[in-house]
Amino acid sequence: MVIEAGEGLKERANMKTAAKDFGKSVMDPLYREGWWSRRLVLMVYVALELVTIHSPVVLGTLDLQLDEEQPAGTIVGDISAGLPPGVTASLYFISDHEGTGVGSDLDIDESTGIIKTAKVLDRELRDKYNFIAVTMTGETVEVTIKVNDINDHAPTFPRKRATFKIPEQTAIGTRFPLEPAVDADQGQLTTQGYLIKDGNVGQAFTLETRRGSNEVLYLDLVVNAILDREKRSTYTLSLEAFDGGSPKRTDQMTLDVAVQDINDNAPSFNQSRYHAIISENLQPGSNILQVFATDADEGDNGMVSYEINRRQSDPDRYFVIDSRTGIITLNKPLDFEMRRVHELVVQAQDNATQPEVTNAFVTIHVRDYNDNQPTMTIIFLSEDGTPRISEGAQPGQYVARISVTDPDYGEYANVNVSLEGGDGKFGLTTKDNIIYLICVDQILDREERDTYELRVMATDAGTPPLRAESSFIIQVTDVNDNPPHFDQPVYRQVIPEVVFPGSFVLQVTARDKDQGPNGDISYSILQDKGAFSNWFSIDSITGIITTLSQLDYEKNPNPSITVLATDGGKPPLSSTAVVKIVLQDINDNEPVFERNIYNVSIKENTAPGTCILEVVLAPVERREGGLQAAEWEMSPDKHWHEWRRQLALLDKLGIRKHHLRAIFILFQSKSVLNHPSSRLLSIRSHQTGKQTLGDSLPELDCYKECIALVCQQPQSRFRSSLVAALTAS
């Protein structure tokens, strides 16, 4: 490109003006707009300057580095460090490409050349920054900033739990690749190894690693021992990945290893040879015996089927076998005279693609049959001829009589009788091998067990022997050997003293292990006058206790009754329980003086404060809030106004006749209910003349007799005042 001299000077002037405007910090918000266009102008200006002046370009380099995750504002370095010695600059022009992150991640002061971070840097997002700084005199510095890695990431498995299947009998050393853990860090700080922390029973597995070209540490699970599903079908391995940091960062995952079955086990019979003895008259279709084999494998590999090897045994098909159950059945009639013993070869094979086969031998003996079996006649010795015995029967007591006969002659007539069942409670005895007796052998308890199943077997001496069997159930009848038993020996109940007769108190319950009438319970109350048992009644069937009459806390606050439970046995058995009842007191009694009229005579010169009378209340209420102890005090003038009111009352009655000096007696009582109480009080005084009891007492007319009222005002707690007048006798 050719530029004229005049045009070049003009362009240079324009460029310098642009450079002055551009000399402000590139991070100044007022100049961000048009950043790239001004940068392009700057670069063109520098090129023209260099071409015009023909000065050589001085190119310096500056390599800086810092660790990632440093806070914003961290100083990275100074651009002037990259200038040649002795060269300084007061303004730098920064050249970088869009998308390099220099403008967004770095804060470069274009006046001083100081480079700072504009935000926290993340090496995993950007590990290097490059830009070119140009001075006003044309020196350029290529700045490279490397972001160093720190261990700010742990290895991470793609999944926290995974399932892996490995066939049993896999060769030792076989590798199975697993998903590796990924670490965003690099170098020594990335994933460095793996461990099996737990679940590696018998050291069945090991781990091997290899580093890929992408710096990922790949992981292989290696079989380290022979796997046998029949011994252990699963392994739960806890794997850990760790990096090279200090301290190390780790991650864990769980690997469930399922050992897959292969057909490595053949069926196994529970015995190698089976024996059976059958009669020649056994009917076709009859079951003879059952063979049984198991296979330790699973699924089709462990499914067993049976068959008779016809090439080696039973070519005439006298017998057949159920392929699923192993039951051998007679297929056609036998003939003892033609063949007495049959040998069968039974095969058991699994259902695998390549099945495993095992053989067992079955020997079946055919014997001449005895065509008459013994006969038994059983007679039960109970009253009604049924199979029953009382639980009170003693050992040795007979239960049944058995007579045995066999129509055959010779050895077949020799019959052996045996008894099975009964858990040892019954025995069998005989004296002539013809008549047998079943007897009680141990003490019976119906409440422990009420029935026993017995089986009597009569077997002759034939070959094969014939057997007659008879099974029956012995019923153990009840005797009254258990008294009723209450659920609890003492019952307690709290009820208010004021309830209507017939009110529910509580229910007692007794149980009897016996049955029938022996277990039927009736209830009654033992009468005890001192315990006030006549206040209550009980339902003889249900045991419900109710009130029979009005209760009175003041007579007995804690009545107690004894309940008797009696069964219906003969003789009956019984037991008792105590019912303790606590009555809740209510204020149903008014205060009561011990006397209705009190007569007191005192001398007229009796000093004030002298006790002249003690009035006592009869104790009625007992609980807190009931009547308390009475209090008395002498008060010559305290109740003067009350006294005047009483005198006015006496005037109305027309009984005021004389003058006297009086003193007052104050009575106080407490009660929780509003029961007014009044009593008459007559106090007589001996008087020789008109005298003064005290200066504070007024002079009053004298009465032969004064009647005062004891009044009680209805309040929450009440006070009753008794005013007594002294009279001249």
Side-chain angles (χ1 to χ4, degrees):
M1 176 178 179
V2 180
I3 301 177
E4 296 294 335
E7 293 179 355
L9 292 176
K10 184 179 180 180
E11 185 68 24
R12 287 178 59 190
N14 293 335
M15 291 299 178
K16 287 183 178 182
T17 302
K20 290 180 181 180
D21 293 337
F22 193 72
K24 299 182 182 289
S25 173
V26 296
M27 304 307 295
D28 192 338
L30 297 176
Y31 290 89
R32 286 176 182 266
E33 187 176 359
W35 162 264
W36 294 108
S37 61
R38 290 198 299 271
R39 174 166 291 180
L40 180 60
V41 171
L42 174 63
M43 296 306 296
V44 173
Y45 162 74
V46 171
L48 292 175
E49 188 75 21
L50 293 176
V51 172
T52 304
I53 302 175
H54 300 288
S55 60
V57 177
V58 179
L59 179 61
T61 60
L62 178 62
D63 293 325
L64 302 174
Q65 59 181 352
L66 80 161
D67 292 339
E68 63 177 330
E69 304 296 337
Q70 298 298 315
T74 301
I75 296 177
V76 181
D78 189 350
I79 298 176
S80 62
L83 294 175
V87 178
T88 61
S90 60
L91 182 63
Y92 295 92
F93 300 99
I94 307 303
S95 171
D96 72 297
H97 300 288
E98 185 176 3
T100 60
V102 174
S104 59
D105 298 352
L106 301 178
D107 184 8
I108 304 173
D109 191 326
E110 297 182 354
S111 298
T112 64
I114 299 300
I115 307 171
K116 297 180 182 179
T117 58
K119 64 179 184 179
V120 176
L121 303 185
D122 187 350
R123 188 204 64 82
E124 286 69 39
L125 297 178
R126 189 183 300 276
D127 61 352
K128 183 184 296 185
Y129 296 87
N130 291 95
F131 64 89
I132 296 176
V134 182
T135 68
M136 291 295 295
T137 57
E139 288 86 359
T140 63
V141 179
E142 184 179 358
V143 181
T144 300
I145 301 174
K146 179 183 178 183
V147 181
N148 296 327
D149 188 27
I150 64 172
N151 193 23
D152 57 341
H153 294 85
T156 304
F157 284 103
R159 291 183 290 176
K160 290 298 181 182
R161 195 175 195 104
T163 301
F164 206 80
K165 296 181 179 180
I166 301 178
E168 63 176 329
Q169 304 299 329
T170 298
I172 295 176
T174 303
R175 297 170 178 267
F176 296 93
L178 303 178
E179 292 180 299
V182 178
D183 193 329
D185 296 323
Q186 66 176 183
Q188 188 64 26
L189 301 180
T190 190
T191 306
Q192 297 298 315
Y194 301 91
L195 294 174
I196 301 178
K197 299 289 289 184
D198 192 22
N200 193 13
V201 179
Q203 300 300 310
F205 303 96
T206 60
L207 299 178
E208 292 187 4
T209 61
R210 64 187 185 282
R211 184 75 67 182
S213 59
N214 56 354
E215 295 301 320
V216 175
L217 188 65
Y218 290 96
L219 173 65
D220 289 337
L221 181 68
V222 182
V223 177
N224 193 48
I226 295 298
L227 303 179
D228 189 345
R229 189 205 62 81
E230 287 70 40
K231 293 182 178 179
R232 190 174 190 86
S233 60
T234 59
Y235 295 83
T236 301
L237 304 180
S238 179
L239 306 184
E240 179 181 273
F242 59 89
D243 61 19
S246 180
K248 295 180 179 180
R249 288 180 176 266
T250 61
D251 190 27
Q252 289 79 32
M253 74 163 292
T254 300
L255 181 64
D256 296 315
V257 179
V259 181
Q260 293 178 309
D261 184 51
I262 64 172
N263 193 26
D264 57 342
N265 291 279
S268 175
F269 284 96
N270 58 350
Q271 59 189 77
S272 60
R273 182 175 289 275
Y274 297 84
H275 296 273
I277 300 175
I278 61 176
S279 174
E280 65 173 321
N281 66 340
L282 187 67
Q283 295 298 313
S286 300
N287 296 335
I288 300 174
L289 58 83
Q290 182 180 18
V291 297
F292 183 73
T294 58
D295 194 317
D297 295 321
E298 66 177 356
D300 290 343
N301 296 336
M303 185 180 297
V304 179
S305 60
Y306 305 93
E307 66 176 351
I308 297 175
N309 190 331
R310 300 297 179 182
R311 293 181 299 175
Q312 297 179 348
S313 62
D314 193 27
D316 298 327
R317 304 184 68 86
Y318 281 100
F319 307 94
V320 293
I321 188 171
D322 188 296
S323 62
R324 184 176 59 86
T325 64
I327 296 177
I328 298 176
T329 305
L330 183 63
N331 190 43
K332 59 184 182 180
L334 301 173
D335 190 343
F336 173 80
E337 286 71 28
M338 293 182 60
R339 191 169 183 176
R340 300 185 179 185
V341 178
H342 295 263
E343 289 282 354
L344 304 180
V345 178
V346 177
Q347 292 181 339
Q349 68 178 24
D350 56 35
N351 199 34
T353 304
Q354 297 180 348
E356 297 282 347
V357 179
T358 302
N359 294 331
F361 299 95
V362 178
T363 301
I364 301 175
H365 294 273
V366 181
R367 292 186 178 180
D368 195 10
Y369 68 94
N370 181 19
D371 57 350
N372 290 287
Q373 65 180 19
T375 59
M376 292 186 297
T377 302
I378 302 176
I379 300 175
F380 297 101
L381 304 180
S382 61
E383 293 181 358
D384 56 0
T386 59
R388 64 177 60 227
I389 186 68
S390 170
E391 68 172 323
Q394 297 299 310
Q397 183 172 335
Y398 297 132
V399 179
R401 177 181 181 275
I402 305 173
S403 59
V404 181
T405 60
D406 193 329
D408 292 326
Y409 296 95
E411 63 175 357
Y412 297 145
N414 185 14
V415 179
N416 178 46
V417 178
S418 60
L419 177 67
E420 292 183 356
D423 293 341
K425 298 291 186 180
F426 302 91
L428 188 67
T429 181
T430 183
K431 293 182 179 179
D432 54 9
N433 293 329
I434 298 176
I435 302 300
Y436 290 82
L437 294 170
I438 298 176
C439 60
V440 177
D441 204 31
Q442 296 179 14
I443 293 295
L444 302 174
D445 187 351
R446 188 204 65 80
E447 288 71 36
E448 178 181 340
R449 185 172 178 179
D450 58 356
T451 60
Y452 293 89
E453 183 176 0
L454 302 180
R455 183 173 64 172
V456 179
M457 295 176 292
T459 306
D460 63 21
T463 304
L466 295 181
R467 175 184 298 176
E469 297 183 3
S470 178
S471 297
F472 51 89
I473 294 177
I474 292 290
Q475 185 77 33
V476 181
T477 59
D478 185 49
V479 297
N480 193 25
D481 57 346
N482 290 280
H485 178 72
F486 281 94
D487 289 347
Q488 54 192 81
V490 178
Y491 294 82
R492 291 177 173 83
Q493 183 64 290
V494 178
I495 60 175
E497 69 169 317
V498 177
V499 294
F500 292 106
S503 298
F504 175 83
V505 178
L506 60 81
Q507 182 177 17
V508 298
T509 303
R511 309 177 193 280
D512 196 317
K513 294 181 179 180
D514 296 321
Q515 67 176 180
N518 297 333
D520 294 338
I521 299 174
S522 62
Y523 302 93
S524 61
I525 296 177
L526 294 180
Q527 297 300 319
D528 184 355
K529 294 183 178 179
F532 293 88
S533 57
N534 58 346
W535 285 358
F536 305 94
S537 65
I538 189 170
D539 189 289
S540 61
I541 297 177
T542 64
I544 294 177
I545 299 174
T546 57
T547 57
L548 185 62
S549 61
Q550 184 67 44
L551 310 180
D552 193 341
Y553 174 89
E554 288 68 38
K555 291 183 179 180
N556 188 351
N558 299 300
S560 175
I561 59 176
T562 301
V563 178
L564 178 68
T566 307
D567 62 24
K570 294 182 179 180
L573 299 178
S574 63
S575 62
T576 61
V578 176
V579 179
K580 295 183 178 180
I581 301 170
V582 177
L583 299 183
Q584 293 177 326
D585 184 34
I586 65 171
N587 192 15
D588 58 343
N589 292 279
E590 62 185 16
V592 178
F593 291 99
E594 284 189 341
R595 297 170 57 187
N596 290 333
I597 299 176
Y598 294 83
N599 292 314
V600 178
S601 296
I602 63 173
K603 293 180 179 182
E604 64 179 341
N605 58 351
T606 301
T610 302
C611 178
I612 62 173
L613 175 65
E614 181 181 4
V615 177
V616 180
L617 294 177
V620 179
E621 303 296 341
R622 304 190 180 194
R623 66 181 180 84
E624 183 179 356
L627 195 61
Q628 305 297 321
E631 298 179 2
W632 297 83
E633 62 176 287
M634 300 288 292
S635 178
D637 54 359
K638 182 177 180 181
H639 299 282
W640 170 244
H641 296 291
E642 176 64 22
W643 172 242
R644 291 297 300 267
R645 190 179 66 82
Q646 297 291 340
L647 290 180
L649 177 62
L650 296 177
D651 282 341
K652 292 181 180 181
L653 297 176
I655 61 175
R656 181 173 180 182
K657 298 178 180 180
H658 303 286
H659 297 281
L660 56 77
R661 289 188 178 276
I663 61 175
F664 302 101
I665 301 173
L666 175 64
F667 167 64
Q668 295 176 329
S669 66
K670 299 178 181 179
S671 180
V672 295
L673 294 180
N674 303 337
H675 293 289
S677 174
S678 63
R679 291 290 181 268
L680 296 177
L681 173 63
S682 176
I683 303 176
R684 300 183 182 277
S685 172
H686 297 287
Q687 181 175 347
T688 58
K690 188 177 287 186
Q691 297 181 7
T692 300
L693 296 178
D695 293 339
S696 62
L697 293 175
E699 185 174 356
L700 303 173
D701 292 337
C702 192
Y703 295 86
K704 279 187 176 182
E705 185 173 279
C706 179
I707 298 175
L709 295 178
V710 181
C711 299
Q712 176 174 306
Q713 299 300 326
Q715 299 175 3
S716 59
R717 287 191 174 273
F718 308 103
R719 302 171 62 88
S720 298
S721 298
L722 173 64
V723 179
L726 302 181
T727 65
S729 59

